[in-house]
Amino acid sequence: MKTTRLSDPAVRAFVTALNSQDREAFLATLAPDATMADDGDDRDLDQWIDREIFSSHGHMEVDSESDGGRSLLARYRNDTWGEMRTRWRFTVDDAGRIARFETGQA
């Protein structure tokens, strides 16, 4: 699925920034107090973003979306783990920024 076709604007911006390795644009998609979880465990957002996305060249190929574009099934790859099938769920705040995202193997 092309990133430009993702339904939710906040999620579309998140995936676009992630795939272009644009840290500034990526951080702009997040609410100031955003949180996240990986495989059901809450993680330190800044450390996770650096380790799993930017220092390891993360990239997401979305296979499908549901829940108005706030749930994704995707193939995620980075230099550390290779490629894996993943699920992503996003909570978007009233300002249109991502307040929380949860990811893990699908």
Side-chain angles (χ1 to χ4, degrees):
M1 172 174 219
K2 291 187 179 215
T3 304
T4 56
R5 305 194 97 204
L6 293 174
S7 301
D8 188 278
V11 173
R12 185 171 54 246
F14 178 100
V15 175
T16 299
L18 185 155
N19 286 346
S20 27
Q21 293 290 291
D22 186 337
R23 182 186 294 266
E24 186 175 324
F26 182 87
L27 294 175
T29 70
L30 303 175
D33 57 350
T35 61
M36 64 86 54
D38 186 355
D39 284 328
D41 293 321
D42 279 3
R43 307 289 181 161
D44 179 282
L45 181 64
D46 293 326
Q47 289 177 4
W48 190 92
I49 289 168
D50 184 55
R51 183 180 63 251
E52 300 294 339
I53 299 174
F54 295 107
S55 68
S56 62
H57 307 103
H59 189 84
M60 183 188 305
E61 294 291 332
V62 177
D63 292 325
S64 64
E65 67 174 10
S66 58
D67 191 28
R70 293 189 178 174
S71 292
L72 306 177
L73 281 175
R75 287 167 283 129
Y76 187 79
R77 69 179 181 272
N78 66 26
D79 293 345
T80 303
W81 305 109
E83 184 173 302
M84 65 189 81
R85 189 162 167 81
T86 57
R87 60 175 167 64
W88 298 75
R89 182 161 183 80
F90 298 89
T91 303
V92 179
D93 68 13
D94 292 338
R97 294 172 78 184
I98 295 168
R100 181 171 177 83
F101 69 92
E102 298 175 12
T103 187
Q105 292 192 44

